[in-house]
Amino acid sequence: MKRWQKTLVVLLSLVLIGGICGGAGALLLVGRYEGKAHHEDLLGPVAVPKDEQRWKSGPLDLLLLGSDSREGEPDEGRFGGQRSDTIMLVHLSKNLDRATIVSIPRDSYVYVPPAKGWKGGMNKLNAAFAFGGAPHAAKTITQLTGVKFDGALIANFASINKMVDAVDGVRVCIPYTVRSTFSDKVWEKGCHQLDGAAAEEFMRQRKAVPGGDFGRIHDQQLVVKAIAEKVAADGMLQNPLRLDELLVTAADALTIDKSLDLQELALVARDIKPAEIKFATVPYTSASLKTHAGSAVKLDDAKAKQMFAAIRDDTIQEWLAAHPQQVPGS
């Protein structure tokens, strides 16, 4: 079974810990579970020096990656690394009361700097992970966006089933009909109650979703939003057993940059509510650009440049309000 995108769910769990438990309670909870996560150097030389990070004042930028095997890729077997199946940039506002999660299409055709076995040049963005691991992916994304990262996380594929089941399922409302390519399931346009298995199958759909990969990104965002709303509205955080299940699932799914302190992250995220978390995707002009690396995504250079500048200037939510994004396939 293909490995799957978990990063948004993990980050959102951390945000919810801070937002609902607040202050000292968040520190106690995160301190208990931080040891369950893995710690590595994910950012390498592009990491913002610790003394320049803005954990007390904001804004903050985090890189989120989800890794994927290269099975079926044109260069399978040539490089020892994995590919980043999910690439997201999380911007926390200066006042630390809003978060914007921007998905960068993994097949974006961009310049990937030289690495061992790779002389440098244009390629799919997710290839950077294969060429030099997370630090090289971070270097490539920093060059693309101009955004400097205060921390990074990788999802190591804890089951989406467990996360959704830990909140007793989610209610997801979709603007189009999705037909499963793995079974005879059909999710008609409208709202659906999903358990963990159904949510994973729904999020895996790509071929029968409007917009292809972009529809899949949108569906992932819908499920994550539903988890956030369910946790915030439900009394599950008052139940120690259910809370423990949710936090263990999140912690087990994490690899954290060695410079990132989860206690700091939980503390700065304590005022961010689900309604203040916005999702977006970098604008593009073509999803079927023909390249030496296969079919790729051609980013909209002008709009992408504006979006990245808005992230750096801490005006990204205002930019998104002025440039509303279309639902895939519409």
Side-chain angles (χ1 to χ4, degrees):
M1 179 180 294
K2 185 181 177 76
R3 289 173 170 174
W4 218 196
Q5 290 99 323
K6 306 300 185 299
T7 312
L8 275 176
V9 176
V10 170
L11 178 78
L12 209 46
S13 297
L14 294 173
V15 169
L16 290 169
I17 292 170
I20 296 176
C21 299
L27 297 182
L28 289 173
L29 282 171
V30 177
R32 176 184 174 189
Y33 292 96
E34 184 170 14
K36 296 182 180 295
H38 308 281
H39 297 261
E40 295 180 11
D41 181 8
L42 302 181
L43 289 174
V46 302
V48 175
K50 190 67 175 177
D51 59 356
E52 295 180 18
Q53 294 178 4
R54 303 155 294 188
W55 289 94
K56 295 187 183 299
S57 63
L60 293 164
D61 293 294
L62 304 174
L63 176 63
L64 306 177
L65 299 172
S67 59
D68 183 29
S69 70
R70 296 185 331 285
E71 182 178 357
E73 293 285 349
D75 59 3
E76 180 183 356
R78 288 184 55 203
F79 299 96
Q82 293 179 311
R83 293 200 182 264
S84 41
D85 193 38
T86 301
I87 303 169
M88 299 175 186
L89 191 160
V90 174
H91 178 79
L92 305 182
S93 65
K94 180 175 177 56
N95 294 330
L96 300 174
D97 58 353
R98 298 189 298 177
T100 307
I101 301 177
V102 178
S103 296
I104 307 176
R106 63 180 184 173
D107 288 339
S108 299
Y109 197 57
V110 301
Y111 178 77
V112 178
K116 184 178 180 180
W118 169 250
K119 65 180 181 179
M122 298 297 290
N123 208 319
K124 294 181 183 181
L125 178 55
N126 65 354
F129 200 103
F131 297 155
H136 198 60
K139 180 178 181 180
T140 302
I141 295 164
T142 295
Q143 289 191 10
L144 173 67
T145 65
V147 175
K148 297 180 180 180
F149 294 107
D150 301 283
L153 305 94
I154 293 180
N156 60 352
F157 311 112
S159 174
I160 190 66
N161 295 4
K162 294 180 180 179
M163 185 66 71
V164 173
D165 285 339
V167 299
D168 288 341
V170 294
R171 185 172 184 265
V172 175
C173 298
I174 55 177
Y176 38 62
T177 295
V178 177
R179 299 180 183 276
S180 177
T181 56
F182 308 112
S183 72
D184 58 0
K185 289 184 179 179
V186 178
W187 295 276
E188 300 287 350
K189 177 180 178 180
C191 297
H192 302 266
Q193 186 68 26
L194 305 179
D195 62 12
E200 180 177 4
E201 184 173 355
F202 172 70
M203 291 174 71
R204 292 181 65 198
Q205 301 311 311
R206 173 181 169 185
K207 295 181 179 179
V209 179
D213 267 342
F214 295 94
R216 180 171 62 170
I217 289 172
H218 184 256
D219 291 346
Q220 294 164 0
Q221 294 173 349
L222 290 176
V223 172
V224 172
K225 180 180 178 182
I227 293 174
E229 292 173 344
K230 180 69 174 290
V231 174
D234 198 17
M236 68 166 295
L237 294 182
Q238 310 305 319
N239 184 318
L241 293 178
R242 295 178 65 196
L243 178 59
D244 184 76
E245 181 182 0
L246 179 65
L247 296 182
V248 166
T249 301
D252 283 345
L254 278 177
T255 297
I256 306 165
D257 183 67
K258 64 180 184 180
S259 67
L260 180 60
D261 187 329
L262 285 189
Q263 292 187 348
E264 286 183 317
L265 178 57
L267 190 59
V268 301
R270 69 186 186 276
D271 293 326
I272 301 176
K273 306 302 181 186
E276 298 302 327
I277 302 174
K278 306 300 182 185
F279 298 92
T281 301
V282 178
Y284 65 99
T285 57
S286 174
S288 55
L289 179 69
K290 296 186 183 302
T291 75
H292 71 90
S295 181
V297 172
K298 176 67 173 70
L299 297 180
D300 185 320
D301 292 334
K303 289 184 178 179
K305 184 177 180 179
Q306 293 174 9
M307 172 182 269
F308 299 146
I311 293 172
R312 299 193 303 269
D313 296 340
D314 192 33
T315 57
I316 180 60
Q317 292 206 7
E318 290 78 6
W319 188 88
L320 289 173
H323 301 82
Q325 299 199 321
Q326 290 185 329
V327 173
S330 63

